[in-house]
């Protein structure tokens, strides 16, 4: 099995160096170790990693959130801050797992596995939500386009749908896309006739 690749982000240089040494000795690969500067964001660079470990005394969640979106990886936050508001804000910022403890190399593997599964499930939910939104938008646009075709060409609903499907297949795009093109064209023609 390959070593787990970790981006380690800490707000204490001495602790970061000690943690990096412990994790490396425990057969984890530290891709990079960054010390979080509370005035600056981390460098805009991508590293081939499996997970981000934040080890923060006082989590600055606006910086953490930016880093999470930059790397787009499962994240574990180790801290001594056990306030429920901090936990809520951290989860809202995108932290996958919030641990009120120090990093322990003996239990880290299990914690990372849990974080990876949470992250996969969360990503699947996001993808499903986006697919559902797209399908709903397609259905709305298809219905509007059918009504437009029925009005312009005195077609039945089935004929209008068949016409949309035929043009979508001919142009090798989805019926939703062809419906949006038709609606945009109709909007363009309507606005140009108003301008004259």
């Amino acid at each position: 099995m390959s070593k787990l690749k970790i981006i380690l982000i800490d707000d204490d240089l001495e602790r970061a160096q000690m943690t990096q040494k412990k994790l490396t000795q425990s057969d984890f690969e530290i891709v990079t170790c960054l010390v979080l500067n509370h005035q600056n964001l981390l460098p805009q660079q991508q590293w081939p990693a499996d997970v981000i470990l934040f080890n923060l005394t006082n989590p600055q969640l606006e910086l953490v959130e930016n880093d999470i979106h930059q790397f787009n990886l499962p994240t574990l936050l180790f801290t001594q801050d056990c306030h429920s508001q901090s936990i809520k804000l951290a989860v809202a910022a995108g932290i996958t797992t919030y641990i009120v403890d120090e990093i322990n190399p003996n239990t880290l593997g299990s914690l990372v596995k849990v974080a990876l599964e949470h992250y996969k499930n969360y990503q699947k939910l996001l993808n499903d939500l986006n697919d559902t939104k797209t399908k709903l938008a397609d259905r709305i646009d298809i219905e509007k386009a059918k009504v437009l075709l029925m009005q312009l060409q005195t077609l039945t609903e089935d004929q209008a749908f068949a016409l949309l499907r035929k043009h979508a297949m001919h142009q090798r795009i989805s019926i939703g896309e062809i419906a949006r093109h038709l609606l945009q064209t109709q909007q363009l023609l309507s606005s140009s006739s108003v301008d004259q």
Side-chain angles (χ1 to χ4, degrees):
M1 186 174 145
S2 63
K3 290 183 179 183
L4 189 67
K5 295 182 175 102
I6 296 172
I7 296 173
L8 177 62
I9 302 173
D10 206 316
D11 56 4
D12 181 282
L13 178 60
E14 191 175 313
R15 183 179 62 205
Q17 292 169 340
M18 190 172 64
T19 302
Q20 182 175 7
K21 184 178 177 182
K22 276 193 221 174
L23 292 175
T24 304
Q25 289 170 348
S26 296
D27 213 26
F28 292 101
E29 182 181 339
I30 306 300
V31 176
T32 189
C33 180
L34 303 168
V35 177
L36 190 61
N37 179 340
H38 293 289
Q39 282 111 32
N40 299 324
L41 300 176
L42 293 175
Q44 295 289 320
Q45 183 175 348
Q46 294 296 317
W47 287 279
D50 301 309
V51 68
I52 303 170
L53 292 186
F54 286 99
N55 194 17
L56 305 175
T57 305
N58 298 306
Q60 301 289 323
L61 292 175
E62 61 278 356
L63 296 177
V64 170
E65 183 174 12
N66 184 43
D67 298 336
I68 291 169
H69 293 300
Q70 175 185 336
F71 295 116
N72 196 25
L73 292 169
T75 56
L76 288 88
L77 172 60
F78 290 85
T79 184
Q80 296 304 312
D81 184 353
C82 62
H83 295 97
S84 60
Q85 186 63 22
S86 298
I87 296 169
K88 285 179 187 177
L89 291 172
V91 171
I95 293 292
T96 311
T97 308
Y98 190 101
I99 301 107
V100 181
D101 203 352
E102 295 178 3
I103 296 176
N104 180 345
N106 297 326
T107 59
L108 185 61
S110 297
L111 290 170
V112 168
K113 286 177 187 175
V114 170
L116 287 168
E117 289 306 314
H118 277 289
Y119 183 77
K120 286 177 194 174
N121 288 337
Y122 180 73
Q123 291 301 314
K124 184 182 180 319
L125 286 173
L126 281 181
N127 291 338
D128 291 349
L129 177 61
N130 288 334
D131 288 348
T132 301
K133 285 180 177 180
T134 300
K135 287 176 184 175
L136 180 60
D138 282 353
R139 291 194 56 81
I140 291 169
D141 289 340
I142 290 167
E143 289 303 314
K144 288 179 182 176
K146 285 192 311 188
V147 169
L148 180 63
L149 287 172
M150 290 164 58
Q151 291 172 348
L152 292 175
Q153 297 192 1
T154 59
L155 300 173
T156 66
E157 186 175 352
D158 289 342
Q159 290 171 326
F161 183 76
L163 185 59
L164 287 171
R165 185 177 60 225
K166 175 184 170 188
H167 282 283
M169 288 172 53
H170 179 43
Q171 294 184 24
R172 296 183 180 182
I173 60 176
S174 72
I175 298 173
E177 288 176 284
I178 199 75
R180 273 187 287 287
H181 289 300
L182 177 63
L183 294 170
Q184 289 169 351
T185 302
Q186 188 268 341
Q187 188 177 21
L188 176 68
L189 292 173
S190 296
S191 66
S192 67
S193 65
V194 170
D195 293 341
Q196 292 177 355

